[in-house]
Amino acid sequence: MKKQLDSIEFDLSSQERRELWEQLANELESFYAKTESLAVSQPVDTSTVRAFLDSVSMDGSLAPRDAIQHAIAGLSQFAVHTPHPKYFGLFNPRPNFPSILADAITATLNPQLAAWSHSPFAAEVETRLIQELCSRFGYANDAAQGTFTTGGTEANLTAVLCALNDRFEKFSTDGLAGMDRKPVIYCSTEAHHSIHRAARTVGLGSQAVREIATDDSLRMDVQTLEATISRDLQDGFTPLMIVGTAGTTGTGAIDPLPKIAAMCRRFGAWFHVDAAYGGGAALSDKLKTHIEGIEESDSITFDAHKWMSVPMATSVFLTSKRDILAQTFRISTEYMPSDADELGVDDPYSHSIQWSRRFIGLKVYLSLLCFGWKGYEQVVERQSAIAMYLKQQLQSENWHIRNDSPLPIVCFSHPSIDAPNALEELLQAAYKENVGWISTYSIRGTACFRACITNYGTDETHIDEFVRQMSALRDRVGIH
Ligand SMILES: *Cc1c(COP(=O)(O)O)cnc(C)c1O
């Protein structure tokens, strides 16, 4: 006789699940529809957050509907609301609705993208998306490849690894220890610090990163770059890679990409463009002229979770160098399916730092199926127009504009709040009075405010209110 195993409680009935989906849909739709009525940010109080966590226990005693309520209440009360139309922050978008559904679909069907044969639909979708993005950036279709990554940080790390494998034939077996030359990475002083992180992660160390000074517009100064490379060559270093940033995190500056491309050719360095944010310009015919030269690069980082308005962690690494991803990452093992060659496909795990992988690309795919590239073009151009409007409104209230990016990032200040504590005081008042969420950034030693239009729903009314309230605060806080 068969012995009956103990039954376990690790699922809910179909009826209960349906009710929970419905509850969840109602609560999430309510957040989505009413995001604007929430405060964009709230003062941080560590003990209140912890007390909120203490109100439940992880022993399975909470009814599922209360558990859902707990999670949504916690996130509603204790978070900066990046999907708020007055979040003028750090590139975090309001995710578009189809891309939100994509995450729910991915979590439920949980496709495994390590091997192509486990998820042919998902793998082919990502391949198509990579091809589409490569051609948007001007890469020749037959040679370009790429991989979805969790973020720009992973994409930049992938770039450094590809450059090392491309320039040092035995890197994958002998590593840094087998090198007779010291590789150096060049980027501007305004570049994102994930470049330094990548240098540390691969074992080059942050001293292998040369920060090149910038010009008046905070773009890499190519003459300084040239002089630094020449000095390094004399000192026995090898230029491994030059990173051009297309849209710096601080001010949206775009490095002179064609000139950097020429330097890379001259010195045999890998040309990487960190377009984590500014790559969004490629979505618009009007804006893409600003990132010309990107098509000459060996690789590109582009974060869809910034200007493509999809949930985190959605980014791509693209390369115009066919086979470099396989050269860098391919490992054969017995425990993985080995049918990729027969099928004439690439297994995603052989092209990526990641192994087990979620279906990252579905968020972008569903967005495109519903809104198309045309929809993206409209969003990107509208956000740029709103930033232009913000700039004008600030100027008419006598604010000084401190950057001149074609991308929707506006840095501004005023002499009456130039003292660091005055700026900080105004910032805290702006948070407290729910004027909006902005950050501060220091340009050539003087701090200013930084506002980025990252939400497809931000309109002129939000800007009018924001500028009016900021100006009133300045008059209250500033030194006259
Ligand atoms: C945001 C950003 C990064 C880092 O990307 P994550 O997605 O946050 O990992 C790298 N470079 C630039 C220019 C960025 O703006």
Side-chain angles (χ1 to χ4, degrees):
M1 215 178 87
K2 218 157 79 182
K3 189 169 175 282
Q4 200 72 40
L5 290 173
D6 290 342
S7 72
I8 59 167
E9 257 188 64
F10 209 66
D11 202 355
L12 307 172
S13 71
S14 177
Q15 172 71 17
E16 286 169 316
R17 288 195 302 266
R18 276 176 199 284
E19 281 169 17
L20 288 170
W21 276 116
E22 210 168 295
Q23 178 206 346
L24 184 64
N26 284 334
E27 301 219 14
L28 293 184
E29 172 54 24
S30 160
F31 174 85
Y32 193 93
K34 294 186 200 145
T35 316
E36 191 168 348
S37 65
L38 299 166
V40 57
S41 69
Q42 272 144 15
V44 181
D45 179 352
T46 321
S47 57
T48 317
V49 185
R50 293 193 179 146
F52 185 80
L53 290 183
D54 289 338
S55 70
V56 296
S57 71
M58 290 189 263
D59 60 1
S61 61
L62 210 58
R65 64 177 308 116
D66 296 332
I68 289 174
Q69 194 112 55
H70 169 77
I72 295 177
L75 284 165
S76 301
Q77 284 174 61
F78 308 112
V80 173
H81 291 308
T82 55
H84 195 287
K86 285 187 187 168
Y87 175 76
F88 303 117
L90 304 169
F91 303 138
N92 302 304
R94 175 176 179 81
N96 76 68
F97 192 67
S99 70
I100 294 172
L101 299 184
D103 257 359
I105 296 170
T106 297
T108 310
L109 278 80
N110 202 26
Q112 166 62 287
L113 266 78
W116 189 96
S117 58
H118 258 49
S119 276
F121 172 76
E124 286 296 303
V125 164
E126 290 203 345
T127 303
R128 292 260 170 114
L129 289 169
I130 294 286
Q131 283 166 349
E132 288 262 337
L133 285 165
C134 281
S135 79
R136 294 246 139 206
F137 283 110
Y139 280 175
N141 241 341
D142 46 346
Q145 287 187 327
T147 182
F148 273 85
T149 65
T150 52
T153 301
E154 184 193 335
N156 282 339
L157 175 60
T158 304
V160 173
L161 286 166
C162 285
L164 282 165
N165 278 281
D166 187 64
R167 294 299 184 261
F168 297 90
E169 216 180 304
K170 297 174 102 180
F171 184 76
S172 67
T173 51
D174 299 3
L176 294 180
M179 281 185 187
D180 51 0
R181 292 165 290 164
K182 283 191 193 162
V184 174
I185 298 169
Y186 303 85
C187 61
S188 89
T189 50
E190 297 287 314
H192 194 272
H193 284 78
S194 53
I195 303 293
H196 302 69
R197 166 90 56 85
R200 280 162 60 165
T201 309
V202 302
L204 285 171
S206 52
Q207 282 200 17
V209 181
R210 301 275 186 275
E211 289 193 352
I212 305 299
T214 55
D215 65 12
D216 289 344
S217 300
L218 302 171
R219 297 176 304 198
M220 184 191 282
D221 184 272
V222 181
Q223 277 178 342
T224 309
L225 172 68
E226 188 181 0
T228 311
I229 295 176
S230 300
R231 201 174 334 113
D232 279 337
L233 285 170
Q234 279 171 15
D235 294 344
F237 293 101
T238 293
L240 172 69
M241 166 192 241
I242 309 178
V243 181
T245 306
T248 56
T249 316
T251 70
I254 299 169
D255 286 338
L257 304 180
K259 287 183 183 161
I260 295 175
M263 287 288 159
C264 288
R265 279 194 298 271
R266 189 169 140 202
F267 293 108
W270 182 274
F271 179 22
H272 178 64
V273 179
D274 182 357
Y277 169 63
L283 304 171
S284 145
D285 280 344
K286 254 189 242 160
L287 284 167
K288 74 176 179 205
T289 54
H290 296 291
I291 56 168
E292 259 169 33
I294 198 167
E295 71 285 351
E296 295 182 61
S297 64
D298 294 301
S299 58
I300 297 170
T301 287
F302 175 53
D303 272 353
H305 65 208
K306 288 177 177 168
W307 223 348
M308 286 190 91
S309 305
V310 301
M312 281 170 272
T314 316
S315 181
V316 288
F317 169 81
L318 308 174
T319 176
S320 56
K321 197 132 203 166
R322 197 173 183 82
D323 297 331
I324 190 63
L325 280 168
Q327 191 186 322
T328 304
F329 295 111
R330 175 164 289 157
I331 288 176
S332 340
T333 69
E334 283 184 7
Y335 50 82
M336 291 296 289
S338 59
D339 42 10
D341 287 345
E342 274 158 57
L343 293 164
V345 298
D346 293 311
D347 281 328
Y349 88 97
S350 70
H351 275 199
S352 164
I353 291 174
Q354 295 178 58
W355 202 291
S356 289
R357 234 207 35 224
R358 87 196 303 259
F359 188 8
I360 301 174
L362 186 62
K363 292 171 265 189
V364 178
Y365 189 57
L366 279 194
S367 309
L368 284 168
L369 291 184
C370 296
F371 301 125
W373 293 108
K374 195 84 213 145
Y376 273 115
E377 180 162 45
Q378 286 172 356
V379 167
V380 164
E381 291 184 0
R382 180 184 165 79
Q383 290 179 334
S384 302
I386 293 287
M388 191 55 77
Y389 181 74
L390 169 62
K391 215 182 272 189
Q392 288 161 356
Q393 296 311 106
L394 286 167
Q395 276 169 325
S396 72
E397 289 290 337
N398 301 316
W399 291 91
H400 296 193
I401 304 301
R402 300 279 306 279
N403 68 328
D404 63 355
S405 173
L407 310 176
I409 299 175
V410 183
C411 295
F412 58 102
S413 61
H414 190 270
S416 71
I417 50 157
D418 263 353
N421 52 357
L423 194 89
E424 187 56 32
E425 193 184 331
L426 205 164
L427 184 71
Q428 292 310 323
Y431 290 163
K432 198 164 151 227
E433 295 176 31
N434 199 26
V435 171
W437 199 94
I438 51 174
S439 55
T440 58
Y441 190 68
S442 180
I443 298 178
R444 304 227 178 282
T446 318
C448 60
F449 294 123
R450 173 192 177 283
C452 176
I453 309 298
T454 68
N455 185 321
Y456 50 84
T458 300
D459 62 25
E460 285 94 335
T461 326
H462 301 119
I463 299 299
D464 289 340
E465 286 170 5
F466 172 73
V467 173
R468 182 165 38 76
Q469 290 174 297
M470 282 298 285
S471 306
L473 281 179
R474 179 190 70 199
D475 294 341
R476 210 167 78 200
V477 167
I479 300 144
H480 304 283

